[in-house]
Amino acid sequence: MVKLSKTAPLLVLAACFVSASGFAAGGAHVDSADIDPGNIASLQRGARNFMNYCSGCHSAQYVRYSTIGKHLGLSDEQLIDNLMFNAEKTYETIQSSMSRDDALRWYGVAPPDMSLIARSKGVDYIYTFLKGFYVSPDSPTGVNNVALAGTSMPHVLAELQGYQAANFKVEESEDGSVTTTFEGFEKLSEGSLDAEEYDDFVRDTVNFLAYISEPIRSDRIKLGVWVLMFLVFFYILASMLKKQIWKDVK
């Protein structure tokens, strides 16, 4: 695993949370995350991304470091050196570096726990959200988001993605209603990653969020395969037994 700076999330000490106002104007815009839950390397990179850029504000209190290590093939030493920035024991859960009281005092609301965000919002929504920040002078943070209008979260990944403008088409119908449609982004400044690299970064992060929302998924799938194999075997055995019992009955 490649280790990024521990100070990254603190430098952006952001209100890494969102408002509850739904999709932005033209709210049908959703990109496909196209994640691969079985890609261990992607999950490892996603864990790194989360701990470096998200855990400063967000917790994931329903998953333990030891569970992550077990499923992602990481030793205790790798967990301690690369992921456990504010924990001492591998059996601890992921806790935010920012206290809830501080978040409430500074931002009025605490950033949500990310343990189940992929199940509640969906991976496509999160993927679109992390790619969807655009410059908005009217916003207190200087940015808005095509997936969530009025988001309170600043663009914490701007150093990677750079900044972009969003193009919207506004149409007014005869009855006076106004429809706003998102038509794409316009690049304003470059980040340290190009577009493809940033997409991969976000996809790995979303993949990890999907994993922590159901860490036993891979075990459940393996168990399901064995159950299906047993049922097929039992069906064949029962069919043969039935034929043997009823062979003399006309």
Side-chain angles (χ1 to χ4, degrees):
M1 292 182 62
V2 178
K3 182 178 178 182
L4 299 181
S5 170
K6 296 180 181 180
T7 61
L10 300 178
L11 293 176
V12 293
L13 191 57
C16 299
F17 51 90
V18 295
S19 68
S21 55
F23 279 148
H29 173 71
V30 179
D31 294 326
S32 174
D34 192 27
I35 62 173
D36 181 4
N39 189 332
I40 299 300
S42 170
L43 293 174
Q44 289 178 346
R45 293 191 298 268
R48 174 202 63 186
N49 299 345
F50 180 84
M51 294 308 301
N52 278 280
Y53 287 92
C54 305
S55 65
C57 299
H58 291 286
S59 61
Q61 60 184 344
Y62 299 125
V63 62
R64 300 182 187 277
Y65 290 101
S66 56
T67 301
I68 295 173
K70 173 185 175 182
H71 292 153
L72 304 193
L74 302 174
S75 65
D76 287 353
E77 290 74 16
Q78 289 174 312
L79 287 173
I80 294 171
D81 292 341
N82 295 278
L83 300 181
M84 295 173 56
F85 300 155
N86 59 354
E88 296 181 357
K89 304 296 183 181
T90 57
Y91 59 74
E92 295 181 35
T93 60
I94 300 176
Q95 299 296 326
S96 168
S97 298
M98 179 171 58
S99 72
R100 183 178 180 83
D101 291 340
D102 287 341
L104 291 173
R105 184 171 68 254
W106 294 337
Y107 306 116
V109 62
D113 182 86
M114 303 298 281
S115 303
L116 301 176
I117 192 69
R119 298 184 68 176
S120 64
K121 293 291 188 180
V123 294
D124 290 345
Y125 170 85
I126 303 172
Y127 180 74
T128 303
F129 178 81
L130 292 178
K131 292 179 57 181
F133 286 95
Y134 64 91
V135 173
S136 176
D138 296 333
S139 169
T141 62
V143 293
N144 207 333
N145 196 286
V146 295
L148 189 62
T151 178
S152 299
M153 178 174 168
H155 191 5
V156 298
L157 302 178
E159 64 172 310
L160 304 179
Q161 184 189 27
Y163 287 97
Q164 57 192 1
N167 297 319
F168 295 100
K169 181 180 180 181
V170 180
E171 296 179 316
E172 184 174 356
S173 61
E174 295 180 355
D175 61 3
S177 60
V178 177
T179 302
T180 305
T181 305
F182 171 70
E183 294 193 325
F185 294 112
E186 177 185 350
K187 199 71 173 179
L188 297 179
S189 65
E190 298 294 333
S192 60
L193 303 179
D194 61 31
E196 183 177 352
E197 290 172 335
Y198 184 74
D199 287 352
D200 290 340
F201 178 94
V202 172
R203 186 172 292 109
D204 290 338
T205 305
V206 174
N207 202 16
F208 177 72
L209 291 175
Y211 156 72
I212 64 174
S213 70
E214 191 180 7
I216 64 169
R217 180 180 183 276
S218 59
D219 295 336
R220 178 171 53 79
I221 291 176
K222 292 177 182 177
L223 179 61
V225 171
W226 282 105
V227 170
L228 290 175
M229 291 173 61
F230 169 78
L231 292 176
V232 170
F233 171 77
F234 183 78
Y235 172 78
I236 295 173
L237 182 64
S239 297
M240 294 174 63
L241 183 61
K242 177 184 176 182
K243 290 181 180 180
Q244 181 67 26
I245 293 175
W246 290 88
K247 67 179 181 178
D248 296 328
V249 178
K250 296 183 180 179

